Amino acid sequence: MSYKLHIEADAVNVAHAVADLIKEKAIEKREEGKKLNIAISGGSTPKQLFTLLGNEYEREIPWKTVRFFWVDERCVEPTDPESNFGMTYDALLQRTFVPNKNIFRMKGEDIPENEAERYQQLLWNEVPAKHGFPVFDIILLGIGEDGHTASIFPNQMTLLDSEFSVAVAVHPVSSQKRITLTGNTIKNAHRIVFLATGAAKADILRKIIHKETEAAKYPAAHVYDQEGNVDFYIDKAASSKL
Ligand code: 6PG
């Protein structure tokens, strides 16, 4: 596994760097007459990216080419402040330049086990597959200070190797149920992009990027793309202990 670091001055520049990557890939796909299948995470760091995309990239990106899937979703109504879809809708999707038919949300309001099954079937129908798992072009991941990513938490490492593409997870503190892509789906992607900003992420990033022994217990240390690479888009504060 090789880590590629993209260190920007601050969180806004991180968002611009990832927005430019999405723009580059979307234009490539449009020129090939294909679609860009991207799975996105929730959290405050992705939110900064979506807000930037909504405010400054309407004319920059061929949005008809971009198809949005979710990495994970909290089991709440889409209108709930906790909803990852709701956050993305407010920041980006409510601006009409993303066609509705390109939006494949996880239905957090439904019975979790049923929704995990439905979404797994949806991915079979909507996304190419390899080795029995869906293949996304890009998966955008956040990383928690506890080393979780997606909704794969340190006390649920078995989700990394689940036979299923989508599973139900439980937040270890709040016990909130989540729908999440599993490790095998994430590792099947063409490109894995971590977004992490702020000094609070400096410790976990050091442990993972320096492959410290302790990193083995962190889910975020076990994901990489088909070529075994991981792109970290981070700011100076988050890189301060590397
Ligand atoms: C979620 C996310 C989760 C998030 C990380 C980082 O549903 O909460 O998918 O994996 O990306 O916790 O969140 P921050 O960017 O807010 O630190």
Side-chain angles (χ1 to χ4, degrees), residues 41-46 72 74 84 142-144 148-151 178 201:
S41 289
S44 58
T45 315
D72 61 344
R74 291 83 180 275
N84 286 342
I143 183 168
H148 83 262
T149 191
S151 282
R178 307 271 186 99
K201 300 292 173 75

Side-chain angles (χ1 to χ4, degrees), residues 151-171:
S151 282
I152 304 176
F153 295 94
N155 67 333
Q156 293 161 59
M157 298 290 272
T158 53
L159 290 176
L160 287 167
D161 300 309
S162 168
E163 63 179 303
F164 299 101
S165 308
V166 184
V168 177
V170 180
H171 191 283

Side-chain angles (χ1 to χ4, degrees), residues 70-241:
W70 269 259
V71 167
D72 61 344
E73 183 56 276
R74 291 83 180 275
C75 292
V76 296
E77 292 289 335
T79 51
D80 188 296
E82 279 275 296
S83 168
N84 286 342
F85 170 78
M87 177 274 282
T88 312
Y89 180 81
D90 292 345
L92 172 59
L93 301 177
Q94 66 178 333
R95 296 166 166 82
T96 54
F97 47 86
V98 180
N100 279 332
K101 66 179 171 56
N102 287 19
I103 299 169
F104 301 89
R105 76 176 180 94
M106 290 172 171
K107 296 181 178 177
E109 68 274 28
D110 286 355
I111 295 169
E113 290 72 17
N114 295 351
E115 178 53 14
E117 195 174 330
R118 182 196 74 89
Y119 206 77
Q120 176 165 283
Q121 187 55 51
L122 177 146
L123 294 182
W124 273 115
N125 297 337
E126 297 293 343
V127 176
K130 185 176 177 184
H131 307 314
F133 289 90
V135 179
F136 286 102
D137 295 305
I138 298 176
I139 294 186
L140 290 182
L141 296 173
I143 183 168
E145 293 172 50
D146 64 351
H148 83 262
T149 191
S151 282
I152 304 176
F153 295 94
N155 67 333
Q156 293 161 59
M157 298 290 272
T158 53
L159 290 176
L160 287 167
D161 300 309
S162 168
E163 63 179 303
F164 299 101
S165 308
V166 184
V168 177
V170 180
H171 191 283
V173 176
S174 67
S175 299
Q176 181 187 62
K177 283 197 172 183
R178 307 271 186 99
I179 310 295
T180 187
L181 298 186
T182 59
N184 283 327
T185 300
I186 295 170
K187 290 183 281 189
N188 224 24
H190 286 305
R191 190 125 183 205
I192 299 287
V193 172
F194 272 108
L195 289 87
T197 59
K201 300 292 173 75
D203 278 326
I204 193 67
L205 285 174
R206 188 200 74 248
K207 291 171 187 172
I208 290 174
I209 291 169
H210 288 180
K211 298 178 181 168
E212 294 180 10
T213 311
E214 188 180 336
K217 68 185 181 184
Y218 302 128
H222 294 272
V223 296
Y224 41 83
D225 65 26
Q226 283 189 15
E227 282 72 45
N229 299 319
V230 181
D231 284 280
F232 280 91
Y233 283 77
I234 61 181
D235 64 0
K236 281 205 180 332
S239 69
S240 58
K241 295 187 177 176

